[in-house]
Amino acid sequence: MHNLEQTHTTAAEMPVYLTLAAVTMVWGGTFVAGRFLAGSLSPMFAASLRFLLASAALLGFLWLARIPLARPTPRQWLQLAMLGFFGIFFYNLCFFYGLQYINASRASLIVALNPAVIGLASWLLFKERLGRVKVAGIAVCIVGAGVVIVSRNPQLLAATPDAWFGDVLILGCVLGWGVYSLFSRGLNQALGPVQTVTYSILIGTLMLWTLAAVRGELSWAALLNLGTPQWLSLVYLGVLGSALAYIGYYDGIRKIGATRSGVFIALNPLTAVLLGALLLGEQLTLTMGLGGALILTGIYLCNKPLAPSAKKRIL
């Protein structure tokens, strides 16, 4: 009976795992799409356009599906504003300004700490049971992500004089994403993933556009000069990389919890490397393969079916 329960749980959660894997593959592709946009738009303007397209896609989906926008309570508005601030506005602010001081590979190495931060915060704040196997899985994922990133760019640890400031800013990304992942529990249950993501992205988009306007980074001339690859990259970033991927991630959080969903983020550098090899001709190495194997092993360990932990799920 115990084995039957574990098998049933695993089979029922398989669509969630596949969705989260697809989400991380899409997010891995955002690094490639971002390279097509590099040099064409200022970082803040690019982020503002990305989430404007995401907002339009989400509102269009709700309209086609004839799903009316929910009417949040005042308390829910405050929660949504917090998610929009930390998950959209603060995250992108730290990310784009952090990349002015350190390279993308070094930033990716820091962002790979996300699963550990989410797991530790879940344990401290919500008393989520981690267990030795889950902790080991998170650790293996981080090691695997580190191997992939370092093997891709062995020089990333060579620090510049202001690198510490960039490191602090990218750590802000980890903080922002942790808040976005963990403090959606009540909203996900009350409003659902689609409504929660829609409102948080709308609020975060408004914040991004306000800052970009204040800083004078809205360049319509640059927008008109974009070529087809740049426009396709923007659509990819906005529709797939933001609207659909965020919904899939939040749905995973609601069904299997923040820690078990967050560990899939470790796939981001792996998918970025694979897509870079397929689309940009970048070289793959045996060390990258080893790192990928470690990431997959860690995800398996973190999501290994355990009946007691299923009963104690908090999200």
Side-chain angles (χ1 to χ4, degrees):
M1 179 65 71
H2 179 68
N3 290 335
L4 181 62
E5 181 182 0
Q6 287 189 350
T7 302
H8 176 72
T9 301
T10 304
E13 292 175 345
M14 187 57 65
V16 183
Y17 299 152
L18 294 176
T19 298
L20 288 169
V23 164
T24 55
M25 289 180 67
V26 168
W27 279 339
T30 61
F31 291 94
V32 178
R35 292 182 204 177
F36 281 109
L37 278 176
S40 301
L41 300 171
S42 73
M44 283 304 302
F45 192 28
S48 301
L49 288 169
R50 171 184 178 176
F51 286 99
L52 180 64
L53 287 173
S55 300
L58 288 165
L59 292 175
F61 169 77
L62 291 174
W63 180 74
L64 289 174
R66 297 183 178 180
I67 301 174
L69 277 171
R71 295 183 177 181
T73 65
R75 177 180 175 81
Q76 288 173 337
W77 273 118
L78 288 175
Q79 293 174 310
L80 288 166
M82 180 181 69
L83 295 182
F85 176 82
F86 282 101
I88 310 301
F89 177 75
F90 183 73
Y91 181 95
N92 282 277
L93 204 63
C94 290
F95 183 74
F96 285 121
Y97 285 108
L99 288 179
Q100 293 184 3
Y101 297 93
I102 60 176
N103 59 43
S105 295
R106 187 181 177 99
S108 299
L109 192 62
I110 298 171
V111 170
L113 294 173
N114 260 314
V117 171
I118 292 172
L120 180 62
S122 296
W123 175 66
L124 289 173
L125 299 176
F126 302 112
K127 308 304 179 185
E128 180 179 357
R129 180 185 176 187
L130 289 179
R132 294 180 180 178
V133 175
K134 190 176 289 188
V135 171
I138 293 172
V140 171
C141 276
I142 293 174
V143 172
V147 169
V148 170
I149 295 165
V150 173
S151 63
R152 188 182 189 187
N153 182 7
Q155 303 302 319
L156 69 88
L157 296 179
T160 60
D162 293 326
W164 67 270
F165 189 58
D167 293 341
V168 170
L169 287 171
I170 299 301
L171 280 172
C173 294
V174 177
L175 170 64
W177 193 254
V179 172
Y180 194 70
S181 299
L182 290 168
F183 291 92
S184 62
R185 178 176 52 173
L187 290 172
N188 254 334
Q189 298 297 333
L191 302 178
V194 175
Q195 301 273 3
T196 303
V197 168
T198 299
Y199 275 115
S200 64
I201 284 183
L202 285 172
I203 294 170
T205 301
L206 179 60
M207 294 177 179
L208 285 171
W209 275 87
T210 300
L211 180 63
V214 170
R215 289 180 54 86
E217 295 191 24
L218 303 180
S219 174
W220 306 114
L223 185 62
L224 293 173
N225 288 330
L226 291 181
T228 301
Q230 286 76 28
W231 277 110
L232 290 176
S233 297
L234 269 177
V235 171
Y236 181 92
L237 288 167
V239 178
L240 292 178
S242 298
L244 297 180
Y246 278 49
I247 290 173
Y249 181 68
Y250 258 13
D251 187 56
I253 288 176
R254 185 175 66 164
K255 291 178 178 176
I256 66 172
T259 300
R260 294 171 66 195
S261 297
V263 76
F264 279 83
I265 296 173
L267 279 172
N268 282 5
L270 177 61
T271 53
V273 164
L274 293 176
L275 289 172
L278 291 173
L279 301 178
L280 301 175
E282 296 180 352
Q283 185 178 4
L284 293 176
T285 66
L286 183 62
T287 307
M288 290 178 181
L290 172 62
L294 288 173
I295 291 171
L296 295 175
T297 301
I299 290 175
Y300 169 75
L301 290 174
C302 193
N303 286 276
K304 190 176 180 180
L306 294 171
S309 64
K311 294 177 182 178
K312 289 181 176 291
R313 190 175 302 145
I314 63 158
L315 293 173

